[in-house]
Amino acid sequence: MDRQKKSKFWDSFLFNKSIKDEKQEDGITYINLGGENSSERVVQTPQEVLLQRKDENTGEWVTKYKETKIHPKEYRITYGFLNLVKQNVVIFSTWTGNGDFLHYTIIGNFKGKIVELVRSNDPVYNGDIFFEDGKLIQKSANRYSRWTVKNGRLVLIPYRVPKIPSALQIEFYISSNGNINVANNHYTVPVGTVVQFVRSDFNKYPERGFFYQNEQSLDLVEYHPEDTQVFKIVKKGKIDGKIRCNSNFDTEITITIDTV
């Protein structure tokens, strides 16, 4: 596999950075946090991300919220309806450390004012933030959490991503001491099968755990960039890999998928 293909594979596999914007032009994203359509927008400058609202009387754009960029690079702008607060929200996301760490801010509308609802206090390792059926999900490696309200505050709670219908689910459990358990480590399936790796535990430690596929079998599959650890088998052959917790080679489990 050439360098460019490897880079594209790992970007989609680890970081899940698909962009779903409402409308964009020349660095401007038009949104709606409670006003009329296109009455609010996000503007990016080299140093800042600005959330602006159009003045009803003058028609001029007035900055209601701004965030200084961590680095002079583009933020991802994600926009959608959040059932939790019964309104549209917009999320500013960026990645640092060669793309390893996610930082994000959630902005909403409170009593007619644009306010900061949530700011990620700590960078999220191999992270992403996305909407799913009105819920807001945070991903860290292959661990998921959902934003909810407890005691009047927005907090994260463990969340299990739904299984993909008709896919081959390979479930694995990582104990608090790093041991990995699977019900089966050898499968035989036809070409065209969608494979989904599902971590079934909610143990806080260790937080990382992936299926690391051997490079020789990467050309046999197409990864789904919208999902974590999901791929479709597109060629006949043997797919070998290991489920590994962090860099602990002592507890890794070998998984083999043969195609027919």
Side-chain angles (χ1 to χ4, degrees), residues 13-201:
F13 172 43
L14 292 176
F15 304 123
N16 182 23
K17 293 184 182 175
S18 61
I19 298 177
K20 296 181 179 179
D21 292 334
E22 181 70 4
K23 178 183 175 184
Q24 271 197 317
E25 57 180 44
D26 298 327
I28 299 174
T29 305
Y30 291 91
I31 60 174
N32 179 3
L33 297 182
E36 299 294 331
N37 289 336
S38 298
S39 64
E40 288 138 347
R41 68 183 188 180
V42 179
V43 180
Q44 296 197 47
T45 74
Q47 291 79 31
E48 294 178 314
V49 184
L50 309 175
L51 204 162
Q52 299 179 330
R53 174 174 286 168
K54 184 181 289 186
D55 187 276
E56 295 180 358
N57 298 318
T58 66
E60 295 181 353
W61 290 100
V62 180
T63 297
K64 297 294 184 178
Y65 179 90
K66 65 180 179 180
E67 181 168 311
T68 301
K69 290 186 175 182
I70 299 173
H71 296 297
K73 59 188 289 188
E74 276 203 305
Y75 275 35
R76 187 182 74 178
I77 308 303
T78 310
Y79 166 66
F81 184 81
L82 181 58
N83 287 333
L84 189 63
V85 292
K86 305 300 181 185
Q87 64 172 270
N88 293 330
V89 298
V90 63
I91 305 171
F92 304 159
S93 306
T94 193
W95 286 259
T96 60
N98 294 322
D100 291 344
F101 297 97
L102 166 71
H103 306 257
Y104 66 90
T105 307
I106 306 171
I107 308 296
N109 186 12
F110 182 72
K111 295 183 178 180
K113 295 183 178 181
I114 294 176
V115 297
E116 184 179 290
L117 299 177
V118 168
R119 175 181 291 272
S120 57
N121 293 321
D122 298 314
V124 183
Y125 177 77
N126 279 177
D128 200 5
I129 181 82
F130 59 91
F131 292 95
E132 183 179 86
D133 298 325
K135 298 183 288 290
L136 190 57
I137 311 300
Q138 175 187 292
K139 179 178 80 71
S140 176
N142 61 358
R143 301 301 304 274
Y144 294 82
S145 302
R146 175 173 63 87
W147 281 103
T148 188
V149 174
K150 283 190 175 181
N151 301 321
R153 298 182 60 188
L154 286 166
V155 297
L156 284 167
I157 61 173
Y159 179 73
R160 199 183 306 281
V161 173
K163 296 179 180 179
I164 298 175
S166 75
L168 168 65
Q169 272 95 31
I170 301 179
E171 292 198 38
F172 62 99
Y173 181 98
I174 302 180
S175 64
S176 58
N177 61 6
N179 290 326
I180 302 171
N181 298 292
V182 293
N184 187 11
N185 63 357
H186 185 270
Y187 302 85
T188 302
V189 297
V191 172
T193 297
V194 174
V195 180
Q196 179 183 21
F197 285 84
V198 179
R199 182 173 172 179
S200 60
D201 67 275

